[in-house]
Amino acid sequence: MSLELPNNEPRLFHIHLQNCRKSPPVFQMTREHCETVLQKHPDMAARVHLTISSGEDYVIKNWKPRDIVAFDKHMATTDLLVGYQFPTNDLAVRAPRLRWIHFISSGVEHI
């Protein structure tokens, strides 16, 4: 999906995948997995910008400062956030373009 900028120029749809380093491998979203899917859909591959980062723990207060910096850097331009646990304080400020959050869990009580 491409979006139009105010000057009618298209921009890539930014999808950010947020992992937790303590998650079992089956729950880790990897670039290899995404590239395999995008190879099957080259029309979509040309329209998305994919980023991936990982937090230290399921508990945000246990994240390392570098985890927060990486998350905030990606959130500045993210349209779609995919993950389970991530900082939610000031999310509208951190992620001004965010339009969609997709949780990989069956519940969202932790939010």
Side-chain angles (χ1 to χ4, degrees), residues 87-107:
T88 55
N89 59 317
D90 296 323
L91 193 55
V93 174
R94 288 179 143 139
R97 289 181 11 189
L98 186 63
R99 296 176 178 182
W100 178 2
I101 298 174
H102 184 85
F103 285 93
I104 60 170
S105 64
S106 60

Side-chain angles (χ1 to χ4, degrees), residues 52-103:
I52 303 172
S53 64
S54 297
E56 179 66 27
D57 195 1
Y58 295 109
V59 179
I60 303 305
K61 69 179 182 177
N62 295 337
W63 279 25
K64 297 186 180 310
R66 65 185 166 131
D67 299 333
I68 299 292
V69 168
F71 179 78
D72 286 345
K73 175 186 166 196
H74 296 304
M75 287 302 98
T77 59
T78 293
D79 296 292
L80 167 60
L81 171 59
V82 180
Y84 170 71
Q85 187 65 279
F86 43 83
T88 55
N89 59 317
D90 296 323
L91 193 55
V93 174
R94 288 179 143 139
R97 289 181 11 189
L98 186 63
R99 296 176 178 182
W100 178 2
I101 298 174
H102 184 85
F103 285 93

Side-chain angles (χ1 to χ4, degrees), residues 13-40:
F13 189 80
H14 183 173
I15 300 172
H16 180 70
L17 309 177
Q18 184 63 42
N19 287 313
C20 174
R21 288 190 288 279
K22 290 189 176 180
S23 293
V26 69
F27 294 115
Q28 295 285 334
M29 298 172 284
T30 66
R31 184 159 298 281
E32 293 77 22
H33 290 132
C34 294
E35 287 176 357
T36 298
V37 171
L38 290 174
Q39 285 174 359
K40 295 176 182 179

